[in-house]
Amino acid sequence: MQTRVLTGITTTGTPHLGNYVGAIRPAIAASHDAGVDAFYFMADYHALIKSDQPARIERSRLEIAATWLACGLDPARVTFYRQSDIPEIPELTWLLTCVTSKGLLNRAHAYKAAVDRNVAEGEDSDAGITAGLYMYPVLMAADILAFNANKVPVGRDQIQHIEMARDIAQRFNHLYGGTFFTLPEALIEEQVATLPGLDGRKMSKSYDNTIPLFEGGPKRLRETIMRIVTDSRAPGEAKSLDDSALFTLYQAFASRAETQVFGKALEDGMGWGEAKEILFERVEDDVAPMRERYDQLIARPGDIEDILVEGAAKARSIAAPLVAQLRDAVGLRRMNTVATPAGKATVTKSDKMPRFASFREDDGAFRFRLFGGEGDELLLSRKFADPKQAGALRQRLQTLGGGQAQLDAEGLAYHLVVDGEPVAISPAYADDTSREAAMQALRAALDALAAA
Ligand code: TRP
């Protein structure tokens, strides 16, 4: 079974080495794993929370798309799209907003930090804080839950958001009585989660300590590397590797063997200036071929647009059916459908045809239910590890016909047996008579399906 891995990148800045090492490189490597179904997207709605400068957002979207493609992202393998191309995401955001407790959002780090700053400055606690910032975690939960992602690679600062997405998903599942959402897990690359910047703090645009990935070419890369802060030990003096940003940066690009040689040279007294040259050469070795592709891509924005539009179509083919199911679950049904008992995510058509509804369990298993024309649950399939197998059984039931169905009573429920194996179970009924009636209803439903 494939693991669905999803991550978003906020389109405000220009990619730097920290983004590359901490997010882009591991994400692309993961996408080559046959067991991974990768969804990578540009969080451009999130960008609006951080920036009200259209030109900057626009430029950043282009640069980030070109960067990921230049770094080796294969849009045929990965679903690569823009958040703002998926209308199901804001739609889901609202459905989730309505089950999210305000207190949960009060506790979000980013919001709390903004409040604390205001208080420290003697301002009104919510001064300058938009509702967008406040709602950030819900939008992010929608990003993740719209695709039922299993794993979400993020930096440590985002772990709380993933936990909130889980909380919100659980609450929705519970309130509406179904396994609508898979509970996502944060995935932290322990080795390289945070790359130090020029001043040794985490490399981040907000600290203004970044080393650009492509911007400014090799010249700018070299100049910036020369500005890495080191201690005052002179050439010939032994250097300590422990809190050396320069050494950590080297390690993030070099092999273990290269790193050993480099570390030894520093301990033996290599000067910082020389070490910076070596670091530059090592980074440039990796970056140069990607920069060349980047320059080609960025010169043809129309091609990038085509790739993203295609990615959005792929993404929507997954999000749209899920959101349709959720709309039904919360009661936003079409007027020409039959109402169903509260708490059941059932859909019925006005033409009263039986209907299958597929879903995924917390443990990743694929299952489906069969509902009768009145929206009554008839059957729950067994679990399948492979969605294709679940699909094959659905197909089979589509053509089986009521006369052919083997139904074995089991307590107050019954099993549907196909090829000698129980493949689905009915709900438990109040008594034998109701169970018999339900069996009749199932046979009628199977006949209706076969005749359709
Ligand atoms: N908030 C994330 C960040 O700043 C970006 C993001 C938005 C994201 N939506 C997401 C990451 C969904 C993972 C999944 O890094």
Side-chain angles (χ1 to χ4, degrees), residues 72-96:
L73 179 116
D74 176 0
R77 280 191 88 86
V78 174
T79 307
F80 184 52
Y81 55 99
R82 277 177 298 224
Q83 186 185 32
S84 66
D85 282 341
I86 316 294
E88 287 76 17
I89 291 176
E91 192 174 356
L92 177 56
T93 299
W94 184 251
L95 300 186
L96 299 179

Side-chain angles (χ1 to χ4, degrees), residues 361-374:
E361 293 281 10
D362 281 352
D363 63 5
F366 294 87
R367 305 182 88 162
F368 60 84
R369 289 192 167 86
L370 175 62
F371 295 101
E374 304 296 336

Side-chain angles (χ1 to χ4, degrees), residues 93-216:
T93 299
W94 184 251
L95 300 186
L96 299 179
T97 300
C98 293
V99 303
T100 301
S101 77
K102 182 166 172 286
L104 182 79
L105 300 179
N106 288 341
R107 292 190 287 275
H109 299 321
Y111 169 71
K112 255 178 39 191
V115 169
D116 290 349
R117 264 197 308 275
N118 279 334
V119 171
E121 288 163 14
E123 299 268 5
D124 178 81
S125 59
D126 275 331
I129 299 178
T130 64
L133 177 67
Y134 193 68
M135 295 299 298
Y136 189 109
V138 188
L139 177 58
M140 184 158 158
D143 291 334
I144 299 167
L145 301 178
F147 301 99
N148 273 325
N150 307 105
K151 303 268 182 197
V152 185
V154 283
R156 294 189 176 286
D157 58 325
Q158 298 292 318
I159 294 177
Q160 188 195 29
H161 290 147
I162 311 302
E163 283 165 2
M164 288 179 154
R166 290 172 66 89
D167 281 357
I168 297 169
Q170 250 163 339
R171 179 141 178 82
F172 191 100
N173 282 346
H174 174 73
L175 276 174
Y176 292 105
T179 312
F180 304 99
F181 298 125
T182 306
L183 303 185
E185 278 170 41
L187 197 68
I188 307 288
E189 276 256 332
E190 293 296 343
Q191 287 303 304
V192 291
T194 51
L195 198 67
L198 297 177
D199 57 1
R201 290 185 294 172
K202 177 189 172 184
M203 189 181 293
S204 159
K205 201 161 41 86
S206 42
Y207 294 146
D208 195 20
N209 65 356
T210 63
I211 303 174
L213 177 57
F214 300 137
E215 199 190 28

Side-chain angles (χ1 to χ4, degrees), residues 277-450:
E277 286 295 350
I278 295 173
L279 171 62
F280 164 69
E281 294 298 342
R282 186 61 193 82
V283 175
E284 179 62 9
D285 270 354
D286 280 15
V287 168
M290 299 190 290
R291 188 191 295 117
E292 196 175 317
R293 284 197 294 274
Y294 178 81
D295 290 340
Q296 285 163 5
L297 280 158
I298 210 120
R300 304 176 62 92
D303 292 356
I304 300 179
E305 179 67 26
D306 290 346
I307 290 172
L308 293 173
V309 166
E310 216 170 289
K314 242 161 75 181
R316 290 194 69 193
S317 74
I318 293 181
L322 175 64
V323 170
Q325 191 197 353
L326 301 175
R327 290 179 62 99
D328 283 328
V330 301
L332 303 177
R333 297 186 186 90
R334 297 207 169 277
M335 295 287 175
N336 58 359
T337 59
V338 179
T340 56
K344 285 253 171 70
T346 59
V347 186
T348 53
K349 290 216 185 110
S350 50
D351 56 4
K352 310 234 165 147
M353 274 299 284
R355 185 179 175 285
F356 293 101
S358 301
F359 65 100
R360 215 157 162 203
E361 293 281 10
D362 281 352
D363 63 5
F366 294 87
R367 305 182 88 162
F368 60 84
R369 289 192 167 86
L370 175 62
F371 295 101
E374 304 296 336
D376 44 323
E377 179 173 335
L378 298 173
L379 285 177
L380 169 64
S381 81
R382 71 171 184 82
K383 295 183 178 189
F384 291 95
D386 180 352
K388 289 202 193 82
Q389 287 178 314
L393 178 62
R394 256 185 345 256
Q395 288 281 315
R396 184 81 188 272
L397 301 190
Q398 201 92 45
T399 52
L400 187 65
Q404 299 304 310
Q406 181 187 337
L407 307 181
D408 293 353
E410 157 102 15
L412 290 171
Y414 64 85
H415 285 291
L416 167 65
V417 179
V418 171
D419 298 335
E421 282 200 56
V423 292
I425 187 163
S426 74
Y429 296 95
D431 49 42
D432 288 355
T433 322
S434 333
R435 191 194 53 215
E436 286 306 316
M439 287 178 170
Q440 285 312 311
L442 176 71
R443 290 189 197 283
L446 292 174
D447 281 338
L449 286 172

